[in-house]
Amino acid sequence: MFVKNSFMASVCTITLLLGSPVAAEVQSTQILEEYFDVFKSTPIEVEVGDKEDNAKSSQWNNVTLKSTDGQMQIAIPWVKVSKRLLGGFEMTIADKIDGAFQSPDPKALEPVRFVVESKNMAVDIDGIEGAREYNSTFEEMAFRTLDNSIISISAKLTEGTSTNLMETGETGKSSGNFNVKSMMVDYSFEIEGEMTTSTSTMMDLAVKFEVPFYNSFDTENPMKGFDASRDMFIEYSVGSGKTDFSMGSAIGPIIINTTFGSGSGTIGITDAIASTSGATNDLTYVINATGMGLPPMQISASEAIGKLSMPLDNVDESKPAGFKIALSGLNLSDQAWAMFDPTAVLPRDEIDLDIDILAGLRWVKKIAEIDVKNPGQEPPFVVDNAEIKALNLKIAGAELQTTGSAIIDSSQFPPVPEGTVNISLTGAQGLIGKLTEIGLIPEQNAMMIQGMTAMFFRPVDGGEDQLISVIEMTKDGHVKANGMQIK
């Protein structure tokens, strides 16, 4: 309950507090009412201590935001909307806001108190009723937990700007962007005397977002009002960053230092397709765990890509779902290679990995009809077809390349595929020989692998250490390799 409702409440609160809009001809009191009315469609309740209205401004004091499950609370000393001399309005907020949230396990950790502080923050308000725009700037914004012996979290944003257009009505939404020069996030927590800490910095962070407003929110069934046709997304880009992570253990600390270059990503729903994707350049890990008997080592990649997409609420016909993970220019330091190949028998070339799979996915019921409290129910979707666009690996002088497609009969269990998979192996026999030489594969196992390879693969005419295989799967459950029945 805490994780579901408090997380959604926190996201909604932070998104809405970053900005909002108003029209020049609307009075400041009405602007505040419209601003806080937006919370009615979120798992957040609003309480106002007292209101001060005059000809040029309106100020609400002691504003409290509470999650409907009672697990989070934010106290804002005051919020003020003032009329600008040249038209429009300006919003100012107390530069210190207090709050608290309950931990997932109240018996293990008492409520965590925190404070949000801002420096030189101003919000200009323009637009008309029902479509108000908030343009914000701040020199610094910081979040930090208070007086907790178990967990400590702090974050700081510098040189920030944001634009937030809040549209109300049946299809209301909040959309806009924000940019910060730097973002720093630190945390630490102690469990059974062992301390874990992390310090992260990102430079030149830019975010674009769109979040729909729903007319109501059911805390018992958050998916009840879900509408897959309404877009909801966060897109980001970052210039560079680093993370220093340390975890204590009985045999010594584990320290991981990470640096990365430019990156970008998206998470959300667009055109009834849920997706998450990310790409990062120049990624490097430096790992030190000498207490575990491991030498200091480094792992780097020129590019790392991850993508996952899934159609939503398509109960009538299958639509494409996708999964991709790719690593380019992956390098292991000599210390890492030496852990299993101290005599440098294996070629220490760059490693490339590319997995790219498409599938036709169909939901058997609408998401809003799924009983989220029933973990034992059958999967709410089926896969009707699949395509291997790539299943490629290049490592230690060997290379695997795979493509294929299949139609899947989901009317029976387990589902039966019908299709063909094409596999190409180069340098595999040489790699098996080298792995045997350095002792990673026992000789008897190497002989067994070679025997199985002869069963599934055939050599390429004129090729040196090149094998291919065509795997055929039939709808009656049979499988053939290069025309030979194996099942």
Side-chain angles (χ1 to χ4, degrees):
M1 178 70 73
F2 162 76
V3 174
K4 174 179 64 180
N5 293 340
S6 294
F7 175 75
M8 295 186 68
S10 300
V11 170
C12 293
T13 302
I14 293 171
T15 300
L16 296 173
L17 287 176
L18 282 175
S20 265
V22 279
E25 53 279 347
V26 178
Q27 296 299 315
S28 55
T29 300
Q30 183 178 347
I31 293 170
L32 277 173
E33 291 173 348
E34 291 178 5
Y35 183 78
F36 285 100
D37 276 349
V38 173
F39 287 97
K40 292 180 179 179
S41 64
T42 71
I44 299 171
E45 298 173 349
V46 180
E47 296 177 0
V48 181
D50 62 90
K51 303 176 181 180
E52 300 176 7
D53 298 322
N54 56 55
K56 294 183 178 180
S57 66
S58 180
Q59 179 170 315
W60 288 7
N61 300 314
N62 301 319
V63 180
T64 302
L65 307 178
K66 297 180 179 179
S67 63
T68 52
D69 62 5
Q71 300 297 307
M72 184 204 72
Q73 179 171 307
I74 296 176
I76 306 173
W78 56 267
V79 181
K80 183 177 182 179
V81 172
S82 306
K83 199 167 187 177
R84 296 196 306 252
L85 290 176
L86 299 179
F89 290 81
E90 179 183 57
M91 175 182 286
T92 50
I93 304 175
D95 56 12
K96 183 178 181 181
I97 299 172
D98 294 305
F101 61 86
Q102 182 58 271
S103 67
D105 185 358
K107 295 181 180 180
L109 182 64
E110 61 186 15
V112 179
R113 296 172 52 242
F114 63 86
V115 63
V116 179
E117 298 171 304
S118 59
K119 184 183 297 184
N120 296 330
M121 180 176 179
V123 184
D124 290 333
I125 307 172
D126 292 296
I128 60 175
E129 182 179 359
R132 308 221 183 265
E133 182 175 317
Y134 289 70
N135 297 291
S136 309
T137 60
F138 60 85
E139 180 181 336
E140 182 177 294
M141 183 175 292
F143 168 97
R144 55 186 172 87
T145 56
L146 302 172
D147 303 328
N148 195 293
S149 60
I150 297 177
I151 185 171
S152 174
I153 306 172
S154 65
K156 183 169 71 173
L157 310 177
T158 64
E159 298 181 34
T161 63
S162 73
T163 297
N164 185 6
L165 175 62
M166 295 174 64
E167 301 172 77
T168 57
E170 289 298 318
T171 58
K173 63 182 179 180
S174 172
S175 60
N177 60 77
F178 67 89
N179 302 269
V180 295
K181 182 64 177 177
S182 66
M183 181 173 77
M184 290 155 280
V185 180
D186 299 341
Y187 73 82
S188 64
F189 61 87
E190 184 176 353
I191 299 178
E192 297 180 353
E194 301 294 347
M195 182 69 71
T196 296
T197 63
S198 175
T199 301
S200 299
T201 302
M202 286 189 287
M203 304 300 296
D204 299 320
L205 176 65
V207 177
K208 180 181 178 181
F209 64 89
E210 182 174 314
V211 180
F213 295 143
Y214 293 103
N215 293 328
S216 62
F217 183 84
D218 188 343
T219 56
E220 295 300 320
N221 185 5
M223 303 307 297
K224 184 177 180 180
F226 176 75
D227 184 352
S229 67
R230 302 190 64 184
D231 289 354
M232 174 175 58
F233 62 84
I234 297 175
E235 299 176 357
Y236 73 88
S237 65
V238 61
S240 62
K242 65 176 183 177
T243 298
D244 297 326
F245 174 85
S246 175
M247 181 174 67
S249 70
I251 57 177
I254 300 172
I255 301 172
I256 303 175
N257 304 117
T258 307
T259 60
F260 56 89
S262 60
S264 61
T266 303
I267 182 171
I269 301 171
T270 304
D271 297 329
I273 302 292
S275 64
T276 177
S277 65
T280 304
N281 297 308
D282 303 324
L283 184 63
T284 300
Y285 294 92
V286 178
I287 304 169
N288 193 324
T290 55
M292 299 176 65
L294 300 176
M297 65 186 76
Q298 179 175 304
I299 303 172
S300 63
S302 58
E303 184 179 46
I305 298 174
K307 294 181 181 179
L308 178 66
S309 63
M310 175 182 291
L312 300 177
D313 279 359
N314 53 308
V315 296
D316 297 324
E317 60 179 354
S318 294
K319 291 186 177 180
F323 171 79
K324 179 180 176 67
I325 183 169
L327 295 172
S328 301
L330 181 65
N331 281 288
L332 307 181
S333 64
D334 288 340
Q335 297 94 326
W337 279 107
M339 291 175 60
F340 52 87
D341 181 26
T343 56
V345 172
L346 298 174
R348 298 184 176 183
D349 303 331
E350 290 185 343
I351 301 169
D352 293 323
L353 171 68
D354 185 9
I355 301 174
D356 195 349
I357 299 173
L358 286 178
L361 184 145
R362 174 172 48 85
W363 290 82
V364 298
K365 62 174 67 176
K366 294 283 188 178
I367 293 177
E369 300 172 357
I370 297 174
D371 182 3
V372 296
K373 295 183 179 181
N374 180 13
Q377 62 187 316
E378 295 182 358
F381 56 81
V382 295
V383 176
D384 292 331
N385 56 75
E387 177 185 358
I388 302 174
K389 298 182 65 177
L391 181 54
N392 305 333
L393 175 62
K394 183 179 179 182
I395 182 171
E399 185 171 0
L400 165 71
Q401 293 185 327
T402 308
T403 60
S405 62
I407 297 173
I408 300 173
D409 182 3
S410 299
S411 64
Q412 54 184 307
F413 187 84
V416 177
E418 178 187 4
T420 302
V421 176
N422 301 290
I423 306 173
S424 172
L425 271 174
T426 302
Q429 301 296 342
L431 178 58
I432 292 172
K434 290 183 174 67
L435 293 175
T436 303
E437 181 181 344
I438 62 178
L440 287 181
I441 299 179
E443 289 190 16
Q444 60 271 28
N445 291 357
M447 293 176 62
M448 183 176 64
I449 293 172
Q450 289 172 342
M452 293 183 65
T453 300
M455 180 184 299
F456 286 94
F457 292 87
R458 60 182 176 84
V460 176
D461 293 339
E464 182 178 350
D465 198 0
Q466 291 183 315
L467 303 171
I468 60 173
S469 180
V470 178
I471 307 296
E472 299 174 90
M473 300 164 289
T474 61
K475 57 184 177 183
D476 58 5
H478 293 160
V479 180
K480 295 180 180 179
N482 301 315
M484 180 181 297
Q485 191 88 28
I486 59 175
K487 180 182 176 182

